[in-house]
Amino acid sequence: MIDRLAQHLDAAAMEIRTVPQLTIDQPDLSLDDAYAIQRAVVDCRIERGATRMGMKMGLTSLAKMAQVGVHEPIYGYLTSDMMLADGGTMVRTSYGHPRAEPEIAFLIGRDLQGTMTEAEALDAVIGVMPAIEVIDSRFSDFKFKLEDVVADNASSCRFVIGASATPLAELESRDLSLGNLGMILEVDGEVVQTGSSAAILEHPARSLTTLLKMLAERGEGLHPGDIVLAGAATPAVHLQPGQHVRVRVDGLGSAEMFVD
Ligand code: OOG
Ligand code: MG
């Protein structure tokens, strides 16, 4: 069942079509099943040559939870085929109904696994970067239950990371706190969403420790060089061809992309 559903979701992504929620035919699908399907979906990408680049957290802000009606943080994998260079162009028609959202990314410096304090987790962070995440649900109308969106690798699609990683000590030396940085999403130079890193589980570091706890339940952790997206601070916005999208974060700079 796990492999069959993973192939079903992978084919939907490859063929750029949406499918009904898995939980309609499989009302008893458990969260463990959903994470097993997710892992198998990611393995399909890895078999095609993609490599694991890190992890994303999702549904870590009230704004995001409210937008999709799922009220629990989830995680997914980031793979090399999802990465878009800063300033790069994404072809709109290669995806179903993509949306962009403003995020903060961590660059991890050493192996991390298990339950730990926020200070312990942050000690392993080389730096933080502004990021754009493009999400694209495989489910019709972007409607899903918790188990559906987990199986769908947390709606992951593409991500853009800002050019430079700012060490936390540098932020502090400028009297900025990672827990309260202004975040702006711009489309074609106009501000379309504003928020704060405080919206991300009250502090992005809490997203990191929550991820580590969830990964430990499946015997997994983070590795040197991993990128971790902490989850969007605001609702996501639909993307249209011709747009220029930029995320600016106080003290961290910006990340940008174009839609073709
Ligand atoms: C689920 C993925 C959520 C975030 O940053 O909250 C997410 C979705 O909204 O489709 O990536
Ligand atoms: Mg996201």
Side-chain angles (χ1 to χ4, degrees), residues 56 58-59 64 68 101 103 133 135 142 144 149 154-155 231-232:
K56 62 164 280 182
L59 309 180
K64 282 290 309 183
V68 297
E101 50 190 28
E103 304 230 5
E133 186 182 16
I135 52 171
F142 242 99
F144 42 70
V149 67
S155 307

Side-chain angles (χ1 to χ4, degrees), residues 68-145:
V68 297
V70 174
H71 299 270
E72 223 175 285
I74 59 176
Y75 70 78
Y77 292 84
L78 301 176
T79 52
S80 52
D81 51 342
M82 295 175 193
M83 183 150 167
L84 186 64
D86 190 22
T89 300
M90 176 193 122
V91 178
R92 164 71 185 80
T93 48
S94 300
Y95 304 96
H97 38 194
R99 301 174 173 181
E101 50 190 28
E103 304 230 5
I104 283 176
F106 291 105
L107 178 60
I108 305 296
R110 57 178 155 80
D111 284 314
L112 279 180
Q113 189 167 351
T115 305
M116 65 189 72
T117 64
E118 288 158 25
E120 283 166 336
L122 286 181
D123 195 49
V125 167
I126 293 174
V128 283
M129 295 91 70
I132 303 170
E133 186 182 16
V134 177
I135 52 171
D136 184 26
S137 178
R138 257 51 62 183
F139 303 113
S140 316
D141 301 322
F142 242 99
K143 286 214 174 79
F144 42 70
K145 294 210 167 78

